[in-house]
Every structure is written in C-alpha cells, then in structure tokens.
Amino acid sequence: MYYIAEVDKDICASKNCHLCTQYCPESNCINYSEEDKSAYVSVDRCKACEICVYICSDIAKNDAIKMKWIDDLNEGFVIKKSGVVLR
Ligand code: SF4
Ligand code: SF4
C-alpha cells in the first residue's frame, strides 16, 4: 500500500503537546490517548499527506512523527477505534 504516519510514543509523551491532532485533515485520524499521554494514528484513516510530520518537526520542534512503510509499523496494521480515547 503506502506510507503511514507513526508517532514515537516515548518522545510524544515527554512533550505535553497535542498540536498535530488539530491539523490532520482526515477526521479521527490522529487522536490523543490520555492514558499514554501520546498522540496515535488510526492506520486505516491515514492518507500519508505528511502534514503531521511538518507540524511536529517544523512547528512544534518535537520530531516525534515519522512516515513508515505500512509493513514496517511498530504495532503492525492495527486498526484503532477512531474518536475514542484509548484506555
Ligand atoms: S505534534 Fe508531535 S509531540 Fe505534539 S502531540 Fe503530535 S506527535 Fe506528539
Ligand atoms: S500523514 Fe496526514 S492523514 Fe496521516 S496522520 Fe498525518 S496529517 Fe493525518
């Protein structure tokens, strides 16, 4: 298929930041887990536009999001419930 945005949870959790979640043009695609204190991407909704990478790296200066080939995602092709806070 194609590349997907992946959040490095360790970096994100250390930043106390929600910025990328406000800019993804795809609804319910990047959400924020209060339990993990990290943003996460719903793999099935990501369109690989890379806006979140720009926001995290160039605006927030946090470098927590990278584009990854879909077969190489750390958690695999896990479809997370969109619009739901993960527990
Ligand atoms: S912009 Fe980066 S650091 Fe901020 S919430 Fe998104 S992934 Fe985390
Ligand atoms: S690459 Fe685009 S569609 Fe995918 S999570 Fe980032 S902003 Fe959303």
Side-chain angles (χ1 to χ4, degrees):
M1 288 172 73
Y2 46 77
Y3 286 90
I4 298 289
E6 184 175 73
V7 177
D8 184 316
K9 288 183 181 174
D10 292 336
I11 298 175
C12 184
S14 70
K15 301 299 182 183
N16 191 25
C17 161
H18 293 59
L19 200 58
C20 61
T21 64
Q22 300 174 42
Y23 288 93
C24 175
E26 198 64 31
S27 61
N28 289 325
C29 183
I30 282 197
N31 290 299
Y32 194 83
S33 165
E34 289 297 340
E35 181 169 318
D36 291 344
K37 304 294 179 201
S38 171
Y40 66 95
V41 175
S42 294
V43 174
D44 58 320
R45 301 194 61 79
C46 178
K47 301 298 186 289
C49 71
E50 301 192 31
I51 288 173
C52 58
V53 177
Y54 168 71
I55 295 293
C56 187
S57 296
D58 290 22
I59 304 299
K61 309 288 186 196
N62 290 334
D63 285 325
I65 308 181
K66 300 279 185 271
M67 300 307 294
K68 266 202 178 172
W69 187 245
I70 194 164
D71 291 335
D72 297 332
L73 294 170
N74 285 342
E75 296 180 1
F77 192 95
V78 177
I79 297 178
K80 296 175 176 153
K81 288 183 179 176
S82 53
V84 175
V85 176
L86 292 182
R87 297 288 173 199

